[in-house]
Amino acid sequence: MTEATGSSTNASVPLWEQRFRAPRVSLPDWAEDAPDRALFVSNATGTYELYTWDRATGEQRQVTDRPNGTTDGVLTPDGEAVWWFDDTDGDEFGVWMRRPFHGGTETADEPAAPGLAPSYPAGLAIGRDGTAVIGRSTDEDGTTVHVVRPGTEPVEIYRHRESAGVGDLSHDGALIALEHTEHGDAMHSALRVVRPDGTTVAELDDTEGGTKELGLAVLGFAPVAGDTRLLVGHQRRGRWEPMIWDPVAGTQTDLAIDLPGDVGAEWYPDGSALLIEHGFEARSELWRYEPAASDGRLVRVETPTGTVSGATARPDGTVEYLWSSAAEPPVVRSTTGAVVLDPPGDKAPPSVPVEDVWVEGPGGRIHALVQRPAAPAEGPFPTVFEIHGGPTWHDSDAFAAGPAAWVDHGYAVVRVNYRGSTGYGRAWTDALKHHRVGLIELEDIAAVREWAVKSGLADPAALVLAGGSWGGYLTLLGVGTQPGDWALGLAAVPVADYVTAYHDEMEALKAMDRTLLGGTPEEVPERFEASSPLTYVDAVRAPVYISAGVNDPRCPIRQVENYVDRLKERGAVHEVYRYDAGHGSLVVEERIKQVRLELDFARRHLAGLSPAGPGDPTGPDEAAPGGDA
């Protein structure tokens, strides 16, 4: 089977590579008091970097230019400056820098908060008077929060060993909303509103000191002078939905939003209404909600079927949103009907749509998304189970160049929203805690795998388990605990040795692992052992491909090396690719290289196993990779 090639203007480049190389932009973020000034992320140079956009003049300037890219940035409320986070080659450990809005890459940056040592970021809020509230996380100190006023030394107003973060700063800068997990449950935050001197105004803790698994999230203060209302996400009815909390008045206002699935919200700029983001069964939509209306008026904001990855209400009442579907590439649209920001260059080729599949599993109905090669091909197909990371995340009907590449090469792709995924209620997300972490998710994947084979979709001799981050972890755990079920394992930036990963990872992830497993490796060693891929490495029979960033603070390289060493000792078939970045790459050519290596690994090791026979992704002139790169 051969792969499709490019359009008439780019015929020598395969479609799958065109999808990666096509210029993309994020949803522009605009300055609160200068809405014509915006900040966005683009891969226009081949690396994802920050750009400013003066909407009044149309001028765009590249703000950052670093070998491994930059995506974390924010505009000051007056639109005069850009703050961006400066780490080292993707290690996520660094400081905030500042550059004028109209300063391009030739402009010198300056430290935005002199006096603060490097750290992992834990939230940022910038006030109208130039005051900044900066959250920091380090292995030594846990979480600290500092108030930094122009021309003065940073003042620490919060410190705790458990994870926390800055949520928002009120319009007048008098109130700071913090999310914290002082109760020890990193999956369910409590809220505290403090003054800039650190004194407490009010607390909101649905966990009741850690005794209930009910989380809260800061969605934002009302964007109006003198308004102390705070929009809050809560889980009191078994899903995420918004309410309004006034920490000064001590009132809570429930919102009558009768929609299935999870509901998020943000304020319209005048504070009169909420922009509702509704996610349900892997798709999303937008609504306008007016809290003051007697009937709790809910009005649909028309968007195409698919996934809205972000949305914002503009001062003129229009809504801009980033939309895509599995078949159609992303675009920033407006409710006026216009495309808001259209990057120059060839557009990404479309892919095939997803099909929804529901499978009965040991913990309830499992939702999976399936893409199959375009007609006239017929199954069974070699099939890639592309497992999402998180674990508190989910796959959706959204454009993804990676799965599309497999489809182009004759594979079916199955994505499973296993227990632990978001978007299906709190009970589904929380199901994996404490006991049998990783193994529960694999039970759901196994149920969908059985359906895929029995339905005729998947060739049982050519099943590939693949994923990145938590998906990479589940891949290595799966090829060890289900060794007869998978022909290949492709793991990107995985957890491979859970105990070593815990000791080497960033502090916020240590807190998450303590929550998931109920303690540290020293306190619950049997749980870490049962959930660690290293425990089952000697049972692995399938060839395994692993890619890892040498600067990764989330899935550190040492624990990957421990797993690889065990594979080497056994003489197990494996290949390892190490690259100089962190938890994934922001460089387009690097992403293409990694997908090409995975495609080639699958082609070589599935050859002869499947009558369907995947295509040759490299062509005759490209050498196959060696064992250890």
Side-chain angles (χ1 to χ4, degrees), residues 27-244:
L27 179 71
D29 184 26
W30 50 275
E32 296 175 37
D33 296 336
D36 280 341
R37 294 190 174 189
L39 183 70
F40 65 92
V41 177
S42 177
N43 65 341
T45 65
T47 301
Y48 284 86
E49 297 285 4
L50 294 167
Y51 292 77
T52 57
W53 177 28
D54 189 327
R55 300 178 67 146
T57 66
E59 181 182 30
Q60 298 177 10
R61 289 177 179 264
Q62 184 177 342
V63 176
T64 53
D65 184 11
R66 303 193 302 153
N68 283 299
T70 315
T71 58
D72 292 337
V74 65
L75 284 172
T76 55
D78 59 10
E80 290 294 327
V82 176
W83 285 46
W84 61 275
F85 193 74
D86 184 17
D87 66 353
T88 302
D89 294 329
D91 68 358
E92 302 182 45
F93 194 84
V95 298
W96 288 100
M97 303 294 288
R98 181 172 52 206
R99 174 174 295 183
F101 178 85
H102 285 298
T105 54
E106 73 285 351
T107 304
D109 295 296
E110 61 179 9
L116 286 183
S119 68
Y120 299 110
L124 171 69
I126 303 174
R128 285 166 169 77
D129 64 353
T131 298
V133 184
I134 301 175
R136 303 170 63 255
S137 175
T138 65
D139 294 342
E140 297 76 21
D141 298 329
T143 304
T144 58
V145 175
H146 293 76
V147 171
V148 183
R149 301 185 186 278
T152 66
E153 291 295 313
V155 177
E156 182 181 301
I157 64 166
Y158 178 88
R159 175 182 291 260
H160 201 277
R161 284 300 314 170
E162 297 293 344
S163 59
V166 176
D168 198 18
L169 182 64
S170 63
H171 186 278
D172 60 5
L175 301 173
I176 300 166
L178 305 176
E179 296 180 1
H180 72 83
T181 60
E182 295 172 5
H183 48 276
D185 182 350
M187 292 181 68
H188 302 96
S189 294
L191 305 185
R192 179 175 300 145
V193 173
V194 301
R195 302 177 183 89
D197 63 2
T199 57
T200 297
V201 176
E203 304 257 9
L204 195 60
D205 181 10
D206 282 6
T207 74
E208 298 182 9
T211 61
K212 293 185 176 180
E213 294 182 337
L214 292 173
L216 296 167
V218 172
L219 301 180
F221 278 106
V224 180
D227 195 333
T228 56
R229 293 177 300 165
L230 180 64
L231 192 60
V232 170
H234 70 89
Q235 297 179 302
R236 294 172 182 176
R237 287 188 284 265
R239 60 170 189 163
W240 280 108
E241 55 186 318
M243 69 174 184
I244 295 174

Side-chain angles (χ1 to χ4, degrees), residues 336-427:
T336 65
V339 173
V340 175
L341 186 59
D342 190 19
D346 293 334
K347 307 307 179 189
S351 185
V352 299
V354 294
E355 306 166 26
D356 295 272
V357 173
W358 292 90
V359 177
E360 291 298 330
R365 293 177 74 223
I366 308 160
H367 190 197
L369 301 174
V370 176
Q371 289 173 282
R372 62 182 77 214
E378 296 182 0
F381 303 100
T383 299
V384 177
F385 277 69
E386 182 77 29
I387 309 304
H388 73 73
T392 52
W393 191 245
H394 66 274
D395 277 314
S396 62
D397 182 6
F399 196 74
W406 289 105
V407 173
D408 281 2
H409 286 83
Y411 295 82
V413 175
V414 179
R415 289 178 282 173
V416 181
N417 283 330
Y418 52 75
R419 277 173 287 175
S421 302
T422 54
Y424 300 88
R426 179 173 59 84

